[in-house]
Amino acid sequence: MDYNRILGEIATEVEPLRGEGRLPEYIPALARVNPDRFGICLLTTGGERFEFGDTGERFSIQSITKVFSLSVALSLIGEELWQRVGKEPSGSAFNSLIQLEIDHGIPRNPFINAGAIVVADVLLSSLPSPEADYMDFLRRISGDQTVDYNRKVAASEREAGYVNAAITNMLKYYGNLTNDIEDVLRFYFLQCSVEMNCRQLAQAFLPFADRNRRFEFGNVSLTYSQVKRINAIMQTCGFYNDAGEYSYLVGLPGKSGVGGGIGAIYPCHYSVATWSPRLNGKGNSVMGIKALELLTTYTHESIF
Ligand code: GLN
């Protein structure tokens, strides 16, 4: 497949969308990034890299971190996790509170905020040094020791994090958090604040696509079947209330974040990361989704 030519075509075709969408104003530090960026990086399981645009510039991975935190939690406590979090698509906004009350404090899935906050609680209870251990995993899986948290972004989000604080309080009320509310929130925001560029993100998603190598990074290891299941949850829940539309348009398991990034995989073939900060009304990158839609359209490659 001539991915080089295809990425070039995609870049030309998404160009008119550059001004469309908005930055996430509820996170002050992210509302200030330069919105006029677009990058795409594709890594094949055979070791080739194809890229276009701003692939070396770091951005806040935000909710994409939920794929990594779920991986660590499953590696630590396995199936037990599903007693505290569901695996059904929510059909609601990523920060919705409504279902949490209806479901008595059991979040619908680990990729909405409520679910990821429970996962953060699991990591806090089970990792010997949660902050350092989580970062160690991210550096190993992205193959880059310079990957790091952005503590300013985490603090900015905490300051204005009223909805996430409400979610965390409700989880605590229903007995679904072991640790102190403030500690869980702080760790959750820190996980969201991690910065990567498209190259590092594509590398960090490659193990979810590469089914021939063992998923093993330091103390975090997953079985073939666990990776398959994480991919399934990406497909059904990775884009919140945009998951159906994303599936319809793209057809690759993936995960988005309000920093404008998307990580996706074509199982057994490639991983791909896109970044463009302007978001649609559901918090997903406008240019990123279009680029992935064109990728599966032009290549005729998707899981469907
Ligand atoms: N840190 C963001 C939040 O909790 C993550 C949301 C997202 O990327 N969709 O609101």
Side-chain angles (χ1 to χ4, degrees):
M1 187 65 63
D2 191 353
Y3 290 119
N4 230 1
R5 178 183 54 80
I6 290 172
L7 293 194
E9 282 175 22
I10 290 172
T12 311
E13 210 160 315
V14 296
E15 195 50 44
L17 294 176
R18 215 174 256 275
E20 240 175 69
R22 299 172 69 96
L23 294 176
E25 271 130 35
Y26 77 100
I27 306 177
L30 294 186
R32 292 193 290 268
V33 307
N34 182 344
D36 297 321
R37 290 283 185 271
F38 172 74
I40 182 165
C41 178
L42 185 151
L43 293 180
T44 67
T45 51
E48 285 178 291
R49 181 166 87 192
F50 304 91
E51 57 183 342
F52 201 98
D54 306 307
T55 51
E57 196 172 324
R58 291 178 197 226
F59 55 90
S60 199
I61 69 168
Q62 291 297 313
S63 279
I64 304 171
T65 215
K66 294 173 169 111
V67 174
F68 306 123
S69 59
L70 174 64
S71 303
V72 178
L74 283 177
S75 155
L76 287 166
I77 67 167
E79 292 290 294
E80 216 183 285
L81 179 69
W82 305 120
Q83 289 169 12
R84 295 176 59 185
V85 191
K87 31 181 136 60
E88 290 299 333
S90 71
S92 300
F94 58 83
N95 57 1
S96 170
L97 267 160
I98 299 169
Q99 286 171 342
L100 195 55
E101 186 172 22
I102 295 170
D103 297 339
H104 303 286
I106 304 293
R108 288 276 164 105
N109 68 68
F111 289 166
I112 52 172
N113 290 9
I117 290 169
V118 170
V119 169
D121 184 64
V122 169
L123 266 50
L124 270 184
S125 301
S126 314
L127 290 172
S129 316
E131 277 187 28
D133 295 345
Y134 189 61
M135 188 45 66
D136 178 69
F137 169 62
L138 291 182
R139 287 177 177 163
R140 286 175 193 266
I141 197 169
S142 65
D144 196 320
Q145 286 301 310
T146 67
V147 166
D148 213 343
Y149 300 115
N150 183 329
R151 290 175 191 276
K152 279 197 189 131
V153 170
S156 162
E157 195 174 0
R158 175 64 196 99
E159 248 168 63
Y162 308 112
V163 175
N164 284 314
I167 290 171
T168 310
N169 275 278
M170 201 180 286
L171 288 167
K172 189 75 178 175
Y173 169 78
Y174 282 109
N176 201 2
L177 289 183
T178 309
N179 295 281
D180 177 71
I181 289 174
E182 200 50 48
D183 293 345
V184 178
L185 264 180
R186 196 180 318 118
F187 190 40
Y188 167 73
F189 288 135
L190 207 55
Q191 290 173 0
C192 292
S193 81
V194 170
E195 293 183 337
M196 289 187 190
N197 59 34
C198 287
R199 285 178 204 141
Q200 293 159 339
L201 184 60
Q203 186 65 45
F205 264 61
L206 196 58
F208 297 93
D210 189 347
R211 310 313 320 272
N212 285 323
R213 246 165 275 186
R214 264 187 68 72
F215 190 109
E216 199 171 326
F217 300 92
N219 293 327
V220 179
S221 65
L222 296 173
T223 64
Y224 187 92
S225 166
Q226 283 174 314
V227 174
K228 175 188 75 178
R229 294 192 162 129
I230 293 172
N231 292 345
I233 300 172
M234 281 201 244
Q235 185 64 38
T236 52
C237 311
F239 292 74
Y240 330 109
N241 44 341
D242 222 5
E245 184 72 10
Y246 168 82
S247 256
Y248 176 84
L249 292 174
V250 178
L252 299 176
K255 183 77 202 80
S256 65
V258 292
I262 298 175
I265 58 157
Y266 179 38
C268 305
H269 291 87
Y270 66 70
S271 62
V272 59
T274 63
W275 174 53
S276 178
R278 290 186 202 266
L279 310 175
N280 66 18
K282 292 173 176 170
N284 300 317
S285 169
V286 173
M287 286 178 94
I289 288 193
K290 188 67 188 175
L292 294 177
E293 178 196 343
L294 293 174
L295 179 62
T296 56
T297 303
Y298 291 162
T299 57
H300 296 186
E301 293 174 339
S302 90
I303 65 164
F304 298 111

Coordinates of all heavy atoms in Angstrom, one line a residue, residues 26 62-63 66 94 113 157 164 188 192 240 257-258, ligand 1:
Y26 N -13.1 24.7 28.4 CA -13.3 24.4 29.9 C -11.9 24.0 30.5 O -11.8 23.8 31.7 CB -14.3 23.3 30.1 CG -13.9 21.9 29.8 CD1 -13.5 21.0 30.7 CD2 -13.8 21.5 28.4 CE1 -13.0 19.7 30.4 CE2 -13.4 20.2 28.1 CZ -13.0 19.3 29.1 OH -12.6 18.1 28.8
Q62 N -4.7 13.9 26.8 CA -6.0 13.9 27.4 C -6.6 12.5 27.5 O -6.0 11.6 28.0 CB -6.9 15.0 26.7 CG -6.4 16.4 27.0 CD -6.5 16.7 28.5 OE1 -7.5 16.5 29.2 NE2 -5.4 17.3 29.0
S63 N -7.8 12.3 26.9 CA -8.5 11.1 27.2 C -7.9 9.9 26.5 O -8.3 8.7 26.8 CB -10.0 11.2 26.7 OG -10.7 11.8 27.7
K66 N -6.7 7.2 28.6 CA -7.6 6.1 29.2 C -7.3 4.7 28.6 O -7.6 3.7 29.3 CB -9.1 6.6 29.0 CG -9.4 7.8 29.8 CD -10.8 8.4 29.4 CE -11.2 9.5 30.4 NZ -11.3 10.8 29.9
F94 N -18.6 12.7 27.3 CA -17.6 12.0 28.1 C -17.6 12.4 29.5 O -17.2 11.7 30.4 CB -16.2 12.3 27.5 CG -15.8 13.8 27.4 CD1 -15.3 14.5 28.5 CD2 -16.0 14.5 26.2 CE1 -15.0 15.8 28.4 CE2 -15.7 15.9 26.1 CZ -15.2 16.5 27.2
N113 N -15.2 9.8 31.4 CA -14.4 10.3 32.6 C -14.7 9.5 33.8 O -13.8 9.1 34.6 CB -14.7 11.8 32.8 CG -14.2 12.6 31.7 OD1 -13.7 12.1 30.7 ND2 -14.2 13.9 31.9
E157 N -6.4 22.2 34.8 CA -7.7 21.5 34.7 C -8.3 21.3 36.1 O -9.5 21.3 36.2 CB -7.4 20.1 34.0 CG -8.8 19.5 33.6 CD -8.7 18.3 32.8 OE1 -7.6 17.8 32.5 OE2 -9.8 17.8 32.5
N164 N -15.7 17.2 36.7 CA -15.0 16.0 37.1 C -15.0 15.8 38.7 O -15.0 14.7 39.2 CB -13.5 16.0 36.6 CG -13.5 15.7 35.1 OD1 -14.2 14.8 34.7 ND2 -12.8 16.5 34.3
Y188 N -5.9 11.5 38.2 CA -6.6 11.5 36.9 C -6.2 12.6 36.0 O -5.9 12.4 34.8 CB -8.1 11.5 37.2 CG -8.9 11.8 35.9 CD1 -9.1 10.8 34.9 CD2 -9.5 13.0 35.7 CE1 -9.8 11.0 33.8 CE2 -10.2 13.3 34.5 CZ -10.4 12.3 33.6 OH -11.0 12.5 32.4
C192 N -4.2 12.6 32.3 CA -4.7 13.3 31.1 C -3.7 14.3 30.5 O -3.7 14.6 29.4 CB -6.0 14.1 31.4 SG -7.4 13.1 31.8
Y240 N -17.1 8.3 22.8 CA -18.3 8.8 23.6 C -19.6 8.7 22.7 O -19.8 7.7 22.1 CB -18.1 10.2 24.2 CG -16.6 10.5 24.4 CD1 -15.9 11.4 23.7 CD2 -16.0 9.8 25.5 CE1 -14.6 11.6 24.0 CE2 -14.6 10.0 25.7 CZ -14.0 11.0 25.0 OH -12.6 11.2 25.2
G257 N -9.0 12.5 22.3 CA -8.8 13.3 23.4 C -9.1 14.7 23.1 O -9.0 15.1 21.9
V258 N -9.5 15.5 24.1 CA -9.8 16.9 23.8 C -8.6 17.8 23.5 O -8.7 19.0 23.2 CB -10.7 17.6 24.9 CG1 -12.1 17.0 25.0 CG2 -10.0 17.5 26.3
Ligands
GLN1 N1 -9.1 15.8 30.9 C1 -10.3 15.8 30.2 C2 -11.5 15.8 31.1 O1 -11.5 15.1 32.1 C3 -10.3 14.6 29.2 C4 -11.6 14.6 28.4 C5 -11.3 14.2 27.0 O2 -10.2 14.2 26.5 N2 -12.4 13.8 26.3 O3 -12.5 16.5 30.9

